[in-house]
Amino acid sequence: MMMIRIVLLSLLIPSVLAIYTLEEAHGLSDFLRGGDKRLIREIPHPGSFLRTGTFCEVLDTLIATLKESKDPKAKYHAAEAITTCLIHRPRNQDTAGMNPDFHQVVVDYLREEPHVAAEVIWAATDNNNINLSGFIEQGAVEELFRTMQYYEFSVAAMWSAAALMNMSTSYCGSGEPCTWKWNEKDRLKTTHEITVDGLVARLHISGLDGIWDLLLDQVCSSVAFESIHGVVMPSTAMKLMDAPSLVPWAMSGLIKSLALRKQSHKYLEVTVPCLCILSKSDDSLERRNAWEALYFLGREGSCHTEDARVGVCIDMPFKSKDGAKCSDLMTREDCKAHPWDKESDLSSKEACCVCGGGDELANAFVQAPDDDL
C-alpha cells in the first residue's frame, strides 16, 4: 500500500513544478483511464470514474503541459489525461474551463493532433456553458470544420463532428440533452427549461461554407452491420482504432443537432436516405443518432425495409391538406383518402411507399470501405 501511494504521488507532482515530463504525463494518462480501452466513452467506466473524482486536481498542470511542453508525446498524453478528467465530471469541466489558457491551447492543438484535441472539446462541451462559450470565442467551430474537411473519413473527422454535435446540442435541467416534441404548429418544442443552449453554435455551424455537402458525403460513408466483414463498430471500437465506419454515428449526431433549426431541413433532406439505413444499423450509437435525426427532420416513419442490407423504400416529403404524412397512411384506402400534397402536385401514390410510391434505394454503402487509412 505504501508503494502504491508513492507511485501515485510521483504521478501527481511533476518533476518540474510547471509541467509534466513524457513519463509523468503518460503514466498519469494510463492511471486515470483505469483500464478503460474504449474509443468512445459515452458511459462511465467504474475504474476510471473513481479515479477522475479524486486525482484530477492537476488539471492546471496538464493544461500547462499542453501549452508549454516541447515534447510532442508529453503533450499528447497530457491531452488524453485532460479528456479522461472531463468525461462525466462537471466539476472538472468547470475547473478546466476557468483556466485562462484552456480554450485557446486546445484549439491551437487541433492543428497538431486533431483527433486528440477534438476529443478534448467533445468531453469539455458536454452540457457545459463555460466551455461552450469559451471554445466558440476561440474559433473552435471553424477549426473543427477544417479538420473534418482535411481528415475526412477518419477518427479525427469523427471526433470533430462529435465535438460540434455536443456544442450544438441544447441541454435541459436534468443534465441530459433536452427532449423535443413536434407541436400543433409544426415546430419542435421542449417543455423543460434549457440550461445550456446550443443555438449559437447551430447558427455558426449552419453558416459554414460547404457544411451541407460535407455532412452528406461523410454520413453516407459506411454503416455498421455485424454481418459485413471488416466493419469497425463505433460502440465497441477500441482506443487507437481508425476506420471510415467510425464516422457516420458522429455525423448523424451533428445532423440531429442542426435539425433543431427548421431552416436547416431543406439542406439536410438529402441525408434522409443514408439516415434511414443508419437507423437500421446493428450499432447502438449509429442507430440512436440516425433515428433522432430523422425525428427532428420530421421524417420518422419514412423508412420502409425488410432488410436494410439490401435496400430501403423512403417516403418523399408529403403532407395532405388535412395534415396527414406518409407515415400516417397505413392502407391503400388511406392513400385514396389523402390523395394530394397541400403545397405541390405530388400525390400520395407517388410520394408514399405504402401507396406504391416513394424512392427505392439499393443499399450501396453497407460494404466496408478500405479501412487502411
Side-chain angles (χ1 to χ4, degrees), residues 143-332:
E143 286 298 325
L144 290 165
F145 177 58
R146 277 191 279 271
T147 299
M148 289 161 61
Q149 290 177 305
Y150 190 78
Y151 297 95
E152 60 182 5
F153 311 118
S154 72
V155 73
M158 181 203 81
W159 280 125
S160 296
L164 290 175
M165 171 185 69
N166 278 0
M167 293 176 72
S168 54
T169 295
S170 291
Y171 299 85
C172 288
S174 63
E176 298 292 327
C178 299
T179 299
W180 300 86
K181 299 290 184 183
W182 287 98
N183 67 9
E184 65 280 357
K185 296 182 179 180
D186 206 22
R187 294 181 179 276
L188 283 167
K189 292 291 184 182
T190 181
T191 56
H192 298 90
E193 180 185 1
I194 296 175
T195 53
V196 178
D197 197 347
L199 176 60
V200 172
R202 292 196 290 272
L203 291 169
H204 207 153
I205 296 166
S206 297
L208 295 168
D209 186 25
I211 183 64
W212 309 116
D213 289 339
L214 182 148
L215 287 171
L216 173 62
D217 193 28
Q218 298 200 41
V219 80
C220 293
S221 63
S222 182
V223 64
F225 287 131
E226 291 177 340
S227 61
I228 307 299
H229 176 71
V231 166
V232 179
M233 309 285 281
S235 60
T236 57
M238 295 291 105
K239 181 184 175 185
L240 302 181
M241 284 184 173
D242 195 349
S245 57
L246 295 173
V247 175
W249 81 268
M251 294 293 169
S252 57
L254 178 53
I255 290 170
K256 169 187 69 176
S257 294
L258 296 178
L260 289 171
R261 290 186 69 242
K262 198 170 181 180
Q263 297 92 326
S264 299
H265 290 194
K266 60 183 178 181
Y267 305 108
L268 294 172
E269 176 62 29
V270 292
T271 67
V272 168
C274 294
L275 291 172
C276 279
I277 296 176
L278 289 166
S279 72
K280 311 297 183 181
S281 169
D282 291 335
D283 186 85
S284 59
L285 291 174
E286 281 189 350
R287 190 168 60 248
R288 181 195 67 197
N289 281 352
W291 189 92
E292 291 182 358
L294 288 167
Y295 178 77
F296 291 168
L297 287 169
R299 300 288 260 123
E300 77 285 2
S302 296
C303 313
H304 305 269
T305 181
E306 293 183 5
D307 186 351
R309 294 163 180 78
V310 178
V312 293
C313 179
I314 301 163
D315 294 328
M316 298 179 189
F318 176 87
K319 184 174 285 189
S320 68
K321 292 180 180 180
D322 54 358
K325 298 180 181 179
C326 285
S327 56
D328 298 318
L329 310 182
M330 301 299 173
T331 66
R332 292 300 176 98

